[in-house]
């Protein structure tokens, strides 16, 4: 079957990983989306057009991360990689701890899944495995693929996930700074070992956070306490550390979003979320963009169409 003329449009949500104590394990899908349209053409290679975030910065050839993820999927499924035209409408901020690279990986893999529909069946386990191979760890790609709150782990059979529904009272607020931070730099500050009591502390808070997010939002403040990674990375993002400290001193469940430097506040209702946003606008010494979001419950979606070859 020729794929020439087949086109898919993929929509992928932003994500926030860690959520405080759930380091490299917990992730949350958020209602900010990148949208990618991929059309198969007769000529080999890739032509990429970027609109929005990353325009004039993101690669527009075969080295583009979405294109590489698509090619990786075709090759893994034993299929020849086609030539493609790709148009990306990017909204997810880059380098801010909101899963932009994970979203690009997921976009490419899900686009390949859509293009290969009727030729090769790619199940959810395979989607997660391919995404993890490219991203390195599953905590961002799992919620981007499946939506909601995800617990991700790796065992001998490969990466696994469990999706949970978030309590309707949970109201996320993302605070985005103007500066970026490399995930590699943030990870380099992580020690090889931590005190036993800190490990036990985070185990208890991670368990509590699951209960808070799914059943008891009033426990979000206690459930987002962390001793495993945020304090070690604070020196690389002092403004983020100051903002988290400010918000938590006023009773708001604030954490570093992913590797940072954005801040995630998990409010237990719209009123508390608005209070947090107003506090930041009033007392922060540096500018932060406030994004009042919902939890995305669907994850990545794909629409397939057939154009004239």
């Amino acid at each position: 079957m020729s794929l020439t003329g087949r086109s898919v449009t993929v929509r992928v949500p932003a994500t926030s990983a860690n959520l405080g104590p759930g380091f490299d394990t917990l992730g949350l899908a958020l209602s900010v989306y990148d949208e990618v349209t991929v059309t198969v053409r007769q000529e080999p290679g890739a032509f990429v057009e970027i609109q929005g975030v990353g325009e004039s910065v993101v690669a527009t050839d075969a080295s583009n991360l979405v294109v590489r993820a698509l090619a990786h999927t075709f090759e893994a499924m034993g299929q020849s990689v086609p030539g493609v035209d790709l148009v990306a409408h990017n909204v997810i901020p880059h380098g801010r701890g909101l899963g932009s690279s994970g979203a690009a990986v997921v976009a490419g893999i899900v686009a390949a899944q859509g293009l290969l529909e009727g030729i090769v069946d790619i199940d959810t386990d395979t989607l997660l495995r391919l995404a993890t191979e490219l991203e390195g760890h599953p905590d961002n790609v799992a919620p981007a693929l499946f939506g909601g709150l995800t617990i991700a782990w790796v065992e001998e059979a490969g990466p696994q996930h469990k999706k949970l529904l978030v309590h309707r009272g949970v109201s996320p607020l993302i605070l985005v700074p103007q500066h970026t931070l490399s995930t590699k730099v943030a990870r380099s500050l992580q020690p090889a070992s931590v005190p036993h009591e800190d490990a036990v502390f985070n185990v208890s808070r991670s368990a509590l956070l699951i209960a808070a997010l799914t059943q008891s939002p009033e426990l979000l403040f206690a459930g987002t306490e962390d001793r495993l990674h945020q304090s070690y990375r604070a020196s690389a993002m002092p403004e983020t550390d100051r903002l988290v400290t400010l918000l938590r001193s006023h009773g708001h469940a604030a954490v570093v979003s992913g590797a940072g430097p954005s801040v995630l506040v998990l409010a237990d209702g719209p009123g508390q979320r608005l209070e947090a946003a107003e506090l930041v606008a009033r007392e922060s010494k540096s500018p932060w963009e406030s994004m009042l979001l919902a939890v995305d419950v669907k994850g990545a979606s794909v629409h397939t169409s057939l154009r004239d070859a």
Side-chain angles (χ1 to χ4, degrees), residues 9 11 22 39 43 61 75 77 116 120 124 152 189 227 248 253 260 286:
T9 298
R11 191 170 182 251
T39 304
E43 301 81 7
D61 55 17
E75 292 167 352
M77 296 297 105
L116 290 169
V120 177
T124 57
L189 299 172
R227 293 183 184 175
R248 295 193 70 87
S286 55

Side-chain angles (χ1 to χ4, degrees), residues 175-208:
L175 298 155
V176 184
Q178 296 178 336
H179 60 279
T180 63
L181 178 69
S182 162
T183 300
K184 184 177 181 180
V185 169
R187 284 188 170 273
S188 71
L189 299 172
Q190 197 68 31
S193 61
V194 297
H196 178 269
E197 63 181 15
D198 289 351
V200 172
F201 181 93
N202 268 58
V203 169
S204 70
R205 294 311 191 273
S206 293
L208 180 61

Side-chain angles (χ1 to χ4, degrees), residues 19 25-30 142-153 160-168 170 206-216 294-299:
L19 311 182
T25 301
L26 299 182
L28 191 67
L30 300 168
L145 280 166
F146 309 117
L149 168 67
T150 58
I151 308 170
W153 70 98
Q160 309 291 322
H161 85 286
K162 175 63 179 178
K163 175 182 176 179
L164 299 172
L165 295 178
V166 176
H167 191 284
R168 63 182 182 181
V170 176
S206 293
L208 180 61
L209 181 56
I210 297 297
L213 285 167
T214 59
Q215 298 180 352
S216 307
V295 175
D296 171 87
V297 298
K298 295 175 64 176

Side-chain angles (χ1 to χ4, degrees), residues 193-251:
S193 61
V194 297
H196 178 269
E197 63 181 15
D198 289 351
V200 172
F201 181 93
N202 268 58
V203 169
S204 70
R205 294 311 191 273
S206 293
L208 180 61
L209 181 56
I210 297 297
L213 285 167
T214 59
Q215 298 180 352
S216 307
E218 70 276 7
L219 298 175
L220 282 168
F221 184 80
T224 49
E225 290 182 297
D226 163 68
R227 293 183 184 175
L228 204 58
H229 65 103
Q230 293 181 142
S231 60
Y232 296 108
R233 298 174 171 184
S235 62
M237 40 184 166
E239 293 180 13
T240 297
D241 183 54
R242 282 194 293 270
L243 187 64
V244 170
T245 300
L246 170 67
L247 285 160
R248 295 193 70 87
S249 70
H250 286 75

Side-chain angles (χ1 to χ4, degrees), residues 36 46-50 58-71 86 88 90 104 108:
V36 174
F47 174 79
V48 180
E49 178 184 348
I50 305 296
V58 173
T60 56
D61 55 17
S63 67
N64 179 276
L65 185 53
V66 179
V67 176
R68 287 194 284 124
L70 183 145
L86 186 152
N90 292 340

Side-chain angles (χ1 to χ4, degrees), residues 278-301:
E278 291 173 345
L279 173 67
V280 173
R282 185 174 65 249
E283 297 195 24
S284 176
K285 296 180 180 178
S286 55
W288 296 82
E289 178 188 359
S290 294
M291 302 173 69
L292 282 66
L293 305 176
V295 175
D296 171 87
V297 298
K298 295 175 64 176
S301 60

